[in-house]
Amino acid sequence: TGLRMGEIRRLRWCDVEGGVVRVPAASAKSRRDQSVPLPDRLAAMLDSFKPRDAGPADAVVPEGAFPNGLTFDRDLAAAGIAKHDDQGRVVDRHALRTTMISWLAATGAHPRTMQGLARHASGSTTERYLDMRLLDFKSAVDRLPMPKSPAGKRPATETATWDRTGRARG
């Protein structure tokens, strides 16, 4: 979701509706009402976990069930996930926002889309969360349009320039 830990802790069932999480001003870091769309699968999963007797003001994550740093570390160990990797990255609860923003970038999301979903006032804040090591640079360059050389002809020389459709100019 990209929600901050405090926002998740204060999330009530009345804040989750129609595939959107509403973050009330009292819970938001900016102190403004905000909302975040949920992936359809997550919205359905949340709906299936909602207790039948849950009231609108009940917490989505019940008191005592929200992981603290120690229980988060124990959950990582139980899942076989290392706290530190060989690249110096640390998995902690805050890393979940980094992962969300980095995955958005990997899907090709526009930087303003990532900023909006992270609910950052500045794009430079969003950039600090972006872990460049999670991006697939090879796939990105493989998707670049490449000029096609006519059958039987040598490819254009390195000094040629190309238009947007991949045709040689000049």
Side-chain angles (χ1 to χ4, degrees):
T1 64
L3 293 175
R4 294 173 177 91
M5 291 297 116
E7 294 167 345
I8 295 171
R9 184 179 287 118
R10 292 183 293 274
L11 192 63
R12 301 168 301 159
W13 285 110
C14 62
D15 298 327
V16 181
E17 189 177 334
V20 174
V21 171
R22 190 180 66 78
V23 182
S27 291
K29 185 176 180 180
S30 69
R31 297 299 178 220
R32 292 188 327 257
D33 286 339
Q34 300 173 326
S35 64
V36 177
L38 293 174
D40 292 340
R41 291 184 316 238
L42 181 55
M45 190 182 304
L46 268 176
D47 191 48
S48 72
F49 287 132
K50 182 177 180 179
R52 291 180 195 257
D53 62 346
D58 290 347
V60 172
V61 181
E63 186 67 33
F66 196 85
N68 61 27
L70 180 61
T71 57
F72 186 84
D73 290 347
R74 288 180 182 159
D75 290 342
L76 288 176
I81 299 171
K83 176 84 173 166
H84 302 273
D85 72 5
D86 58 353
Q87 296 179 37
R89 295 180 291 198
V90 178
V91 179
D92 58 15
R93 294 181 306 167
H94 201 70
L96 299 174
R97 280 178 61 81
T98 297
T99 301
M100 184 266 225
I101 291 167
S102 299
W103 282 356
L104 285 168
T107 68
H110 189 279
R112 288 286 289 138
T113 300
M114 295 185 302
Q115 178 185 342
L117 289 170
R119 293 164 295 112
H120 289 147
S122 163
S124 62
T125 303
T126 306
E127 286 179 26
R128 283 195 300 268
Y129 278 82
L130 183 59
D131 186 342
M132 300 292 282
R133 295 171 291 192
L134 295 179
L135 302 181
D136 185 357
F137 291 103
K138 176 67 171 115
S139 291
V141 297
D142 284 346
R143 289 190 306 270
L144 289 172
M146 296 301 295
K148 297 177 184 162
S149 61
K153 293 188 179 181
R154 289 179 49 146
T157 65
E158 291 180 26
T159 58
T161 59
W162 310 95
D163 68 16
R164 289 182 178 193
T165 64
R167 287 180 277 213
R169 275 192 242 164

